Amino acid sequence: MQFALNEDQVAVRDMALAFAAEKIAPHALQWDEEKHFPVDVMREAAALGMGGIYIREDVGGSAMSRFDAALIFEALATGCPTTSAFISIHNMASWMIDAFGSDTQRQKWLPKLCTMELIASYCLTEPGAGSDAAALRTRAVRDGDHYVLNGQKQFISGAGGTDLLVAMVRTGGDGPGGISTLVIDGETPGVSFGANERKMGWNAQPTRAVMFENARVPVANRLSEEGVGFKIAMAGLDGGRLNITACSLGGAQTALDKARSYMKERKAFGKRLDEFQALQFKLADMAIELEAARTFLWRAAAALDRKDPDATMLCAMAKRFGTDVGFEVANHALQLHGGYGYLSEYGIEKIVRDLRVHQILEGTNEIMRLIVARKLIEGAR
């Protein structure tokens, strides 16, 4: 069990914190307002090894652990949860190629993915298949050395601004056994994108539908065998759930820090806010919940690194708990600011808006409960 960071882990975390403070935080509000996708800054992060955090070294990856990744994404999210979350999605899609691709596929795509010269999106959700991912309907029909794709993906982060789409498609019959994974060039004829969605938060990354209309994708772009795609997608989501939890904690930590600073400055009824015991208790509870969620995240990340049989359940547990805590801490921080928290210039309302979606994506928190319940019930038999 790990309850303290070693020197290397402290160095990695501090590097990411410094990058977030210098390169991300000063621009986060502007990126949100202008809906700017900061590809140039993300490539600077990739130059420091954050474009392929847990990708193997032979293709330019950093070969770090999931535990290291959790530290990095939390640190980056202190500057902007949205930017950190997209870098995490890019890492998740890239890892799927690294873990399940052939050596030819790895050498073709991963060196440029690790530098973020190429940027990847993860394409699973469909208009009629959100939580019920095994019901996806995007169809890929074999035609010689190609698949012909027809269908639509929905809520795809980065779509229209990324180069590669790691997409789950149906090559066989109904259910999870009929799903395969294809790596698709975003400029393939027959691939098009919807309008950038108008969202509550996450404005610094585009979110669009992806449409396939007789798009021809080489069979050579399939990861592993036909019918393994659902397994690949779920394996990617274990790590993705840790990453998005880390992003929640980083955003919440910044909200807590802002609230603590504000309470030292603001006076009411002749006293500073931090002199009121009721508000001290609120601040303490926020810090306690955040630390508990961080400890849970670290445990789940360590379990995934050692391939623990309960890793999937622990990742689901950590995601449910951590993203709920992250949102609640940010929301309480807004309340502690009073009316000022509702103003964009203080940066709190952006964090609240950004963190709300973390309770939905990478599997809703209701689905996290379902994963845990199924594991518990199976274990009792």
Side-chain angles (χ1 to χ4, degrees):
M1 296 299 291
Q2 182 165 2
F3 294 101
L5 304 182
N6 61 38
E7 289 185 6
D8 290 341
Q9 290 165 335
V10 170
V12 165
R13 181 200 62 192
D14 289 352
M15 176 269 295
L17 280 171
F19 184 87
E22 179 184 356
K23 299 289 187 177
I24 298 177
H27 311 290
L29 291 177
Q30 182 181 358
W31 292 345
D32 177 74
E33 184 177 347
E34 297 179 356
K35 297 187 176 181
H36 173 68
F37 192 32
V39 172
D40 54 340
V41 174
M42 291 191 292
R43 285 177 175 153
E44 289 185 56
L48 297 175
M50 292 183 271
I53 296 171
Y54 35 83
I55 305 301
R56 283 174 276 177
E57 291 178 306
D58 65 314
V59 287
S62 298
M64 290 191 277
S65 67
R66 298 296 184 145
F67 192 100
D68 296 325
L71 299 177
I72 289 170
F73 291 127
E74 179 177 351
L76 291 178
T78 62
C80 175
T82 304
T83 304
S84 181
F86 183 78
I87 295 174
S88 83
I89 292 167
H90 169 85
N91 270 268
M92 178 174 69
S94 299
W95 173 83
M96 292 165 68
I97 297 173
D98 190 40
F100 295 96
S102 67
D103 190 59
T104 298
Q105 291 170 329
R106 294 177 65 250
Q107 296 293 336
K108 177 180 180 180
W109 290 308
L110 287 171
K112 291 184 178 180
L113 286 169
C114 288
T115 62
M116 295 189 79
E117 179 181 343
L118 294 179
I119 302 177
S121 288
Y122 173 85
C123 302
L124 175 63
T125 301
E126 297 188 358
S131 294
D132 187 11
L136 67 85
R137 301 180 64 181
T138 295
R139 172 67 64 178
V141 177
R142 183 78 178 258
D143 181 22
D145 293 333
H146 287 78
Y147 288 106
V148 179
L149 270 64
N150 285 280
Q152 180 175 327
K153 298 294 180 179
Q154 187 71 25
F155 305 128
I156 304 305
S157 294
T162 55
D163 306 283
L164 296 178
L165 308 170
V166 180
M168 273 44 72
V169 299
R170 187 163 301 284
T171 53
D174 293 341
I179 297 171
S180 301
T181 302
L182 298 179
V183 181
I184 304 167
D185 187 322
E187 296 185 353
T188 300
V191 176
S192 61
F193 304 94
N196 190 8
E197 301 285 1
R198 298 175 62 187
K199 308 187 294 290
M200 177 179 175
W202 267 32
N203 290 318
Q205 56 168 284
T207 302
R208 295 183 173 93
V210 181
M211 282 78 74
F212 303 107
E213 187 174 358
N214 295 323
R216 296 181 65 84
V217 178
V219 172
N221 286 24
R222 187 188 66 222
L223 299 181
S224 192
E225 302 300 319
E226 282 196 358
V228 185
F230 192 76
K231 173 186 173 183
I232 294 174
M234 294 303 104
L237 283 177
D238 279 344
R241 287 163 182 160
L242 297 180
N243 296 348
I244 211 65
T245 302
C247 292
S248 288
L249 302 187
Q253 184 66 58
T254 293
L256 176 60
D257 293 342
K258 286 178 179 290
R260 186 173 54 184
S261 296
Y262 180 78
M263 289 169 66
K264 289 180 179 295
E265 299 168 359
R266 181 78 160 87
K267 288 187 176 182
F269 306 103
K271 295 197 297 184
R272 294 197 320 264
L273 294 188
D274 65 355
E275 295 179 298
F276 289 90
Q277 191 176 68
L279 300 186
Q280 292 174 357
F281 285 0
K282 174 60 69 177
L283 204 64
D285 284 341
M286 292 160 66
I288 291 166
E289 292 289 300
L290 197 53
E291 192 59 38
R294 183 176 293 116
T295 303
F296 205 158
L297 171 64
W298 287 9
R299 184 188 175 200
L304 189 59
D305 279 329
R306 66 175 180 266
K307 297 181 173 58
D308 190 294
D310 287 334
T312 293
M313 181 179 72
L314 288 169
C315 289
M317 285 179 164
K319 195 270 180 181
R320 201 292 296 166
F321 187 73
T323 57
D324 281 351
V325 164
F327 176 75
E328 289 302 323
V329 167
N331 198 34
H332 288 315
L334 190 155
Q335 188 73 15
L336 287 170
H337 277 75
Y340 291 105
Y342 207 64
L343 303 180
S344 63
E345 65 189 270
Y346 282 77
I348 294 289
E349 61 86 30
K350 174 193 178 297
I351 296 173
V352 172
R353 288 188 289 106
D354 284 348
L355 297 194
R356 181 60 183 87
V357 74
H358 295 190
Q359 296 167 292
I360 298 172
L361 49 78
E362 309 290 15
T364 66
N365 284 2
E366 289 75 16
I367 292 297
M368 297 306 98
R369 292 178 174 90
L370 184 60
I371 292 170
V372 173
R374 284 177 174 172
K375 183 69 174 180
L376 292 173
I377 291 168
E378 289 172 3
R381 289 174 182 170

